[in-house]
Amino acid sequence: MRIATFNVNSVNARLAYVLAWLDARKPNAVCFQELKLTTEDFPYDAFRDAGYHAVVHGQKSWNGVAVLTREPAEVVQVGLPGAEHAGSRLVTARVGDWTIASVYVPNGKTLVHPDFELKLEFLAKLRDHVEATVDPSLPYVLGGDFNVVHSDMDSCDPDGMRDAMFHTERERSAMDALLGAGLTDLQRALEPDGKNFSWWDYRGGSFHKNEGLRIDLVLGSASARARVTKVWIDREWRKKKDERTPSDHAPVVADFD
DNA sequence: ATGGCGCAGCCACTGCGA
C-alpha cells in the first residue's frame, strides 16, 4: 500500500506534470492540496484515464484538496466541521479498511495577521475532529501541507528563523496537540534524525541550495504506524521535467505492508 | 547534477504562497 501527499500548486497548471508523476510512482492513493479550482472544474476525466478516482473539495482560485485512489472510494467527509470559513482544506475518503484524509492548513500570512489566529484555530479544530473520529485500531492516514516547522530538524535555518512564521512555539504546540490526539508523524518515527525538506521557495535558487522546510507530512493512527515501512520525500519531482514547471513542494510517499 | 518565482484573475499588475 502506497499513500502519498502532494501540494501541487494548481492542478490545472500541474496536470501533465502530476500525471507523469502518478505514472512513475503509482501510489494506491494520493492526497492533493492547493487545487486552485472548484470541485466541478476538477479534471476528473484526465485522472480517470490515468486510473484514479477522485474525492474533491475544491474552491475557486485558492486552496482545495482531494484524495485520489486506484479503487473506488467512499466519501467520508467533505470539509472540517466548524472550519469552512477557512476555505476548502480537508477531505476524507475510505477505501477498504483505510481512511485517508487530505489537509491544507492555513498559511497564516504573518504573525500579526488575523489569518495567523485562524491557522491556530484550524489546527485545534482538526485535533478535536481527529480525536472524535479516528479509531486507533484502524489504519487512518492524514496527509497534507501543515505549514508548520514542527521541530528544528525540519528547518534549513532553525536559529535564524527562531520564533519566525512556521517556527513559533504556538504553531509547534498546536502540532503537538494534533499528534496527541493519537497520530504519529510517520517519517519522523522512521527517521528520528533525518533532515529532509519537502518545500523550497521558487525564488533565489532555494532548491539548488537546499534552503527548504519539512512542512508536508504523512500522519498515521497507531494501526497505520504499525504497518508503515518507509516514508520518503520525492525530491526528484521537485525538479523541472521535460520543460514542465514543478510545484514548489515535493511529493511525500509512504509505503505500508 | 540541481537552477535562478509561479499561480489565478479584474488580463496588467496585484494578491498570495511559505
Side-chain angles (χ1 to χ4, degrees):
Chain A
M1 183 70 169
R2 167 170 287 180
I3 303 174
T5 184
F6 193 177
N7 180 324
V8 297
N9 185 18
S10 168
V11 74
N12 271 339
R14 211 69 56 213
L15 185 57
Y17 194 103
V18 167
L19 290 172
W21 174 77
L22 286 171
D23 187 54
R25 302 310 188 202
K26 298 180 168 40
N28 299 88
V30 54
C31 304
F32 284 157
Q33 301 86 38
E34 286 209 83
L35 304 177
K36 296 189 174 181
L37 44 68
T38 61
T39 302
E40 62 185 15
D41 286 341
F42 188 85
Y44 293 96
D45 291 346
F47 286 103
R48 188 178 303 118
D49 290 348
Y52 287 89
H53 304 263
V55 175
V56 179
H57 188 23
Q59 179 182 336
K60 184 178 173 67
S61 302
W62 303 111
N63 310 319
V65 287
V67 175
L68 273 71
T69 55
R70 284 255 180 227
E71 302 299 321
E74 171 191 346
V75 180
V76 174
Q77 192 144 37
V78 174
L80 174 59
E84 282 305 288
H85 57 291
S88 299
R89 296 178 178 277
L90 183 71
V91 68
T92 306
R94 184 174 294 124
V95 177
D97 288 344
W98 290 81
T99 300
I100 302 166
S102 177
V103 66
Y104 178 48
V105 173
N107 171 298
K109 293 191 175 70
T110 71
L111 298 180
V112 296
H113 194 284
D115 281 9
F116 188 72
E117 301 303 323
L118 181 76
K119 175 183 197 170
L120 297 169
E121 175 196 338
F122 183 91
L123 282 166
K125 285 193 160 75
L126 182 60
R127 190 217 78 91
D128 292 346
H129 178 70
V130 165
E131 183 167 68
T133 58
V134 174
D135 180 343
S137 70
L138 294 175
Y140 167 86
V141 167
L142 175 61
D145 176 358
F146 289 82
N147 275 325
V148 176
V149 173
H150 189 212
S151 82
D152 282 358
M153 270 185 296
D154 301 321
S155 176
C156 58
D157 186 14
D159 294 320
M161 292 197 271
R162 192 160 305 284
D163 299 325
M165 274 300 286
F166 291 46
H167 298 67
T168 67
E169 289 305 321
R170 293 182 72 196
E171 291 164 293
R172 289 179 173 184
S173 295
M175 283 299 295
D176 287 339
L178 174 61
L179 295 171
L183 301 181
T184 299
D185 176 344
L186 298 179
Q187 183 176 23
R188 184 54 72 211
L190 294 179
E191 292 180 39
D193 302 317
K195 189 154 179 128
N196 300 291
F197 306 136
S198 66
W199 171 87
W200 299 261
D201 200 304
Y202 281 122
R203 293 166 288 190
S206 297
F207 182 65
H208 167 62
K209 294 183 278 190
N210 198 27
E211 292 176 355
L213 305 173
R214 191 177 77 100
I215 54 176
D216 299 273
L217 308 176
V218 180
L219 309 186
S221 64
S223 170
R225 167 72 184 91
R227 299 186 196 196
V228 70
T229 57
K230 185 178 180 185
V231 183
W232 47 288
I233 295 174
D234 202 351
R235 267 183 68 95
E236 181 66 26
W237 288 81
R238 176 58 178 75
K239 300 175 186 175
K240 186 172 290 205
K241 293 288 180 186
D242 303 326
E243 299 310 311
R244 291 191 290 254
T245 305
S247 171
D248 45 355
H249 297 251
V252 183
V253 182
D255 292 319
F256 300 85
D257 278 335

